[in-house]
């Protein structure tokens, strides 16, 4: 009998928190964010109205509440790179898109980022990339930050690569990068150094053009 | 990849710009995206119900019908829409899947219909959302069980054995399905009778009979009529042993058979007797021997071969094993708890029955199952309180798993009932099909008689008009087949007639009369004979030109090569062959194209010999491929 009573009381105790959680969730889904008007967005970005419509329809379908949080972001990115672990890179990417640093990306942020990446000038793209690499947003990229980013990128590759990842490949990569970018050899890369070095690199400039027509 | 992710792909590709400064090599060229990214609204017409959706929505799942270029096959240029001739109600759910990414299962729809729709649209059922997944799985499992049972019922038991089965296989079959032969049925009933006799004897021999003269004590019948009971027991055991050995011999896989439950029961039922025979007559061993006799009661389990209901009960208990286990476990827990409590509550009382906790087990069990024998009762107040709590909770604990077991039993029992009903229905259905088949043959033959082929004059026109165009075309087709194979359809009566009159030399006249028509003569083949052309070739009859031609005709039958018209007709033959499940068909008539009158004497004499051989041959020694053309 005691066992029976015990199990009954256990059930009731468990139900309490779940009910609260459901209420919380309901409240959260009530919060809905609407983007600014279509005209405003069109003015602010380099997309046409139709493109914005297509983008928004897709966005709204995936995130009916109108915002993307980091978890969803990581999940989405992980789907594109199933071989390895994309969560670290997705984290940095999320921070790069989340210009207002409030932990969630609204449609405007999303569209602005895309506009820069796809329709922006070369300078804008390079600035965006610099912003991505500069994790602590202090205006300088140091070796640690770069190593973080490069490691995150190599993490996405996963374990099974050809040729196999032997030794500290990210570190070597970072060293090579700094060789190229750090002109005055002060151990950090500023925005100007970055932009100059990239513009000198023919291959990179050519590759930038390739991403024009992704949308 | 989940389809919703397709929306994010442009973003992920754009984010690749961030890799550019780090890239060691140049980026590859992106794929050329020919189609315009402008979204458009598509119209989808499903059996008249028009749906509209964005093209992008459908493109989300490129490996389905609507998302791929496969839908172009359904595009209607005139109305500028995609037309599908499917269920519009179901399509709603399919389209919702594209819109929301979750597939829902409509509970009021038939599971098979739903599955078929999913298969048509190329959607894998695993995408069904969590909300509907359980329902879907349950229904699917139920349906599959049902189908499995039906196929099992079809394949099982009543199908006739292949003719070339060994005696061992036949014996096994007789054991498993007593309805197949009378001998098996007799054996079945005899064993059943002896099981009953054995069980009753075991019971009766313990009943006290009147004591023999000169003794006061009542004796059990077993000891009074020792010889009689011993003889009866011996007879039963002999029968059981014989049956067991026969089963062991006939079993297709002896190891598997020996491990099966029924065989174990058989062994356990007869072992005590043999052990008793072997055992010496000393005191201490015979005590153990007496307990062995208890195992004789296992013979009653042999009845489960004879009773369907008993098997169902056993199967139910097996399938409810987890519920039974839970019941047992919770009861054990409760018993231990209450026994402990009662023991300590009653410890102080003098002369109490609750001498130990295991002794209290008995009280707890009796109380929880509400038996209440009253041989152990608590005396203290605390004992009485706990005793009452015990009896109240007992009812609850026992009542909980019982409905589950009952519902399982009911489900299995009803399934079994269904199987029997299905079998009865099958028989009716087959009979109906056979009738329909006969109807069509007769229609065709009638058509022929009325000279439908020749398209004769107006007197037949009236009858011909009553037939639908479908019938006309169908008959035309059958006629083409006849022309192709140089054989004609006929019905059973005519055929058997011809077989009868064949030997009289009727063939000569018949051949001439028919050769005036088409140069085709008919001869007989034994009804339902199966023959192989190869066998004919191997026959020791001197092969004359006529018979060679016969063989040629048969060979022509067999090969499926030939002019274009032939191949389709041969396919037809295949169809006809496949439709012929039973032997009830009108056999084709082999025509031996007699060579034109130059050498009638030469060709004819050997020919009768061949059909003679065919007729005299046993049907089972030949198997035939294509000669028989079954009616539709």
């Amino acid at each position: 009998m005691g066992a029976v009573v015990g199990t009954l009381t256990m059930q009731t105790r468990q139900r309490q928190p779940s009910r609260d959680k459901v209420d919380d969730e309901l409240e959260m889904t009530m919060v809905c964010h609407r983007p600014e008007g279509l005209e405003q967005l069109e003015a602010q970005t380099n997309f046409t109205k139709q493109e914005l419509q297509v983008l928004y329809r897709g966005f709204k379908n995936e995130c009916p509440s109108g915002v993307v949080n980091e978890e969803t972001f990581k999940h989405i990115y992980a789907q594109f790179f199933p071989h390895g672990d994309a969560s670290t890179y997705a984290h940095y990417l999320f921070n790069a898109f989340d210009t207002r640093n409030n932990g969630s990306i609204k449609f405007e942020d999303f569209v602005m980022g895309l506009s820069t990446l796809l329709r922006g000038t070369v300078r804008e793209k390079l600035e965006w990339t610099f912003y991505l690499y500069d994790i602590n947003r202090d205006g300088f990229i140091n070796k640690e930050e770069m190593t973080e980013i490069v490691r995150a990128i190599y993490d996405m590759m996963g374990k099974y690569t050809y040729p196999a990842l032997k030794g500290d490949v990210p570190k070597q990569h970072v060293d090579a990068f700094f060789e190229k970018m750090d002109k005055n050899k002060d151990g950090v890369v500023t925005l100007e150094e970055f932009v100059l070095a990239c513009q000198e690199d023919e291959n990179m400039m050519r590759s930038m053009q390739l991403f024009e027509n992704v949308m | 990849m989940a389809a919703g992710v397709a929306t994010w792909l442009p973003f992920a590709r754009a984010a690749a710009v961030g890799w550019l400064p780090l890239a060691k090599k140049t980026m590859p060229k992106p794929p050329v995206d020919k189609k315009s990214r402008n979204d458009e609204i598509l119209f989808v017409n499903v059996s008249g119900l028009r749906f509209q959706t964005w093209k992008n929505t459908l493109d989300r799942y490129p490996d389905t019908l609507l998302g791929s270029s496969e839908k172009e096959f359904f595009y209607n240029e005139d109305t500028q829409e995609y037309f599908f001739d499917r269920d519009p109600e179901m399509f709603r759910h399919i389209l919702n899947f594209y819109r929301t990414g979750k597939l829902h299962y409509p509970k009021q729809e038939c599971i098979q219909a739903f599955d078929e729709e999913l298969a048509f649209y190329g959607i894998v059922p695993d995408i069904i959302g969590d909300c509907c997944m359980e329902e879907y799985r349950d229904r699917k499992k139920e349906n599959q069980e049902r189908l499995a049972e039906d196929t099992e019922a079809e394949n099982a038991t009543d199908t006739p054995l292949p003719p070339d089965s060994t005696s061992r296989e036949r014996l096994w079959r007789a054991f498993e399905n007593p309805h197949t032969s009378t001998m098996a049925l007799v054996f079945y009933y005899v064993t059943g009778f002896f099981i009953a006799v054995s069980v009753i004897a075991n019971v009766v021999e313990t009943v006290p009979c009147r004591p023999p003269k000169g003794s006061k004590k009542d004796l059990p019948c077993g000891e009074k009529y020792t010889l009689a009971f011993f003889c009866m027991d011996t007879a039963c055991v002999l029968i059981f042993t014989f049956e067991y050995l026969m089963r062991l011999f006939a079993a297709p896989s002896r190891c598997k058979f020996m491990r099966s439950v029924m065989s174990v029961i058989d062994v356990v039922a007869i072992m005590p007797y043999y052990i008793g025979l072997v055992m010496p007559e000393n005191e201490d061993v015979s005590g153990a021997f007496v307990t062995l006799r208890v195992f004789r009661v296992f013979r009653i389990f042999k009845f489960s071969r004879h009773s369907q209901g008993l098997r169902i009960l056993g199967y139910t208990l097996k399938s409810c094993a987890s519920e039974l286990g839970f019941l047992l476990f919770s009861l054990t827990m409760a018993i231990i708890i209450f026994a402990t409590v009662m023991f300590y509550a009653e410890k102080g009382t003098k002369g109490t029955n609750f001498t130990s906790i295991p002794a209290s087990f008995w009280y707890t069990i009796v109380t929880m199952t509400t038996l209440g024998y009253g041989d152990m009762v608590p005396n203290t107040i605390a004992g009485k309180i706990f005793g009452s709590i015990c009896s109240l909770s007992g009812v609850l604990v026992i009542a909980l798993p019982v409905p589950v077991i009952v519902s399982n039993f009911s489900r299995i029992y009803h399934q079994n009932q269904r199987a029997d009903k299905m079998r009865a229905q099958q028989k009716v259905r087959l009979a109906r099909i056979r009738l329909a088949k006969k109807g069509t043959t007769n229609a065709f033959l009638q058509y022929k008689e009325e000279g439908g082929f020749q398209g004769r004059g107006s007197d037949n026109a009236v009858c011909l008009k009553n037939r639908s165009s479908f019938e006309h075309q169908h008959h035309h087709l059958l006629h083409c087949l006849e022309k192709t194979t140089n054989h004609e359809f006929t019905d059973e009566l005519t055929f058997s007639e011809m077989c009868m009159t064949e030997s009289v030399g009727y063939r000569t006249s018949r051949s001439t009369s028919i050769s005036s028509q088409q140069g085709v003569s008919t001869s007989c083949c034994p009804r339902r004979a199966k023959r192989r052309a190869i066998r004919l070739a191997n026959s020791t009859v001197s092969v004359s030109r006529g018979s060679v031609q016969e063989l040629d005709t048969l060979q022509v039958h067999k090969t499926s090569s030939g002019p274009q018209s032939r191949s389709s007709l041969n396919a037809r033959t295949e169809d006809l062959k496949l439709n012929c499940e039973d032997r009830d068909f009108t056999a084709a008539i082999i025509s031996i194209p007699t060579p034109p009158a130059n050498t009638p004497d030469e060709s004819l004499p050997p020919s009768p010999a061949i059909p003679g051989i065919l007729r005299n041959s046993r049907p089972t020694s030949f198997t035939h491929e294509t000669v028989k053309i079954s009616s539709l």
Side-chain angles (χ1 to χ4, degrees), chain B residues 32-78:
Chain B
V32 179
D33 198 6
K34 285 214 196 77
K35 43 187 184 129
S36 66
R37 297 297 297 188
N38 283 333
D39 220 356
E40 40 167 334
I41 293 188
L42 297 178
F43 296 96
V44 180
N45 186 340
V46 183
S47 303
L49 207 59
R50 275 182 111 221
F51 294 89
Q52 296 174 6
T53 182
W54 291 108
K55 186 166 178 301
N56 266 4
T57 313
L58 294 181
D59 284 344
R60 264 195 220 141
Y61 296 91
D63 52 353
T64 59
L65 186 154
L66 290 170
S68 65
S69 58
E70 198 183 338
K71 62 178 183 281
E72 302 303 325
F73 284 103
F74 297 92
Y75 190 67
N76 188 344
E77 295 288 345
D78 309 323

Side-chain angles (χ1 to χ4, degrees), chain A:
Chain A
M1 179 66 169
V4 176
V5 173
T7 41
L8 284 175
T9 48
M10 255 203 306
Q11 292 285 37
T12 45
R13 215 174 295 140
Q14 269 176 0
R15 240 186 296 132
Q16 270 305 103
S18 67
R19 214 176 326 134
D20 292 346
K21 201 165 71 153
V22 166
D23 288 346
D24 286 341
E25 272 187 27
L26 279 175
E27 282 181 28
M28 250 167 53
T29 48
M30 300 289 203
V31 172
C32 185
H33 182 82
R34 291 209 174 77
E36 306 166 16
L38 197 49
E39 282 82 16
Q40 274 170 293
L41 275 179
E42 197 191 2
Q44 284 169 4
T45 65
N46 303 331
F47 289 122
T48 65
K49 256 206 188 127
Q50 279 81 6
E51 287 170 335
L52 282 172
Q53 278 179 342
V54 172
L55 278 172
Y56 186 66
R57 279 203 295 270
F59 185 82
K60 180 82 176 173
N61 230 303
E62 294 307 307
C63 316
S65 60
V67 290
V68 191
N69 59 4
E70 191 167 335
E71 276 311 306
T72 325
F73 202 84
K74 282 186 178 165
H75 176 70
I76 290 166
Y77 220 72
Q79 305 237 346
F80 286 112
F81 302 99
H83 310 281
D85 178 24
S87 52
T88 332
Y89 188 68
H91 167 75
Y92 295 130
L93 208 54
F94 185 84
N95 288 340
F97 271 90
D98 186 10
T99 41
R100 271 155 313 124
N101 283 328
N102 52 359
S104 63
I105 300 182
K106 297 198 313 257
F107 181 64
E108 291 97 330
D109 307 324
F110 179 65
V111 150
M112 301 281 209
L114 269 187
S115 164
T116 315
L117 284 171
L118 298 176
R119 302 284 163 88
T121 64
V122 172
R123 169 103 196 170
E124 284 172 355
K125 289 183 192 171
L126 290 172
E127 277 178 10
W128 190 91
T129 316
F130 187 84
Y131 187 65
L132 170 69
Y133 294 163
D134 186 11
I135 298 176
N136 57 4
R137 310 274 185 266
D138 62 353
F140 302 106
I141 305 178
N142 52 12
K143 265 211 174 150
E144 287 76 25
E145 289 174 340
M146 210 53 232
T147 319
E148 293 267 339
I149 299 273
V150 171
R151 264 195 221 285
I153 293 179
Y154 273 94
D155 279 345
M156 281 199 293
M157 289 290 295
K159 217 168 44 163
Y160 306 104
T161 56
Y162 177 79
L165 292 167
K166 282 203 266 281
D168 198 358
V169 180
K171 189 164 181 309
Q172 292 164 2
H173 200 139
V174 170
D175 289 338
F177 177 78
F178 260 79
E179 272 296 310
K180 206 170 59 173
M181 299 284 164
D182 194 5
K183 296 287 192 251
N184 56 4
K185 306 287 179 236
D186 57 353
V188 290
V189 178
T190 63
L191 179 60
E192 291 311 319
E193 285 178 337
F194 185 73
V195 171
L196 264 165
C198 288
Q199 276 172 338
E200 282 167 13
D201 190 345
E202 291 281 327
N203 283 339
M204 197 192 310
M205 287 300 116
R206 226 176 320 171
S207 307
M208 287 251 177
Q209 310 306 321
L210 294 173
F211 284 90
E212 297 280 292
N213 47 1
V214 163
M215 247 306 284

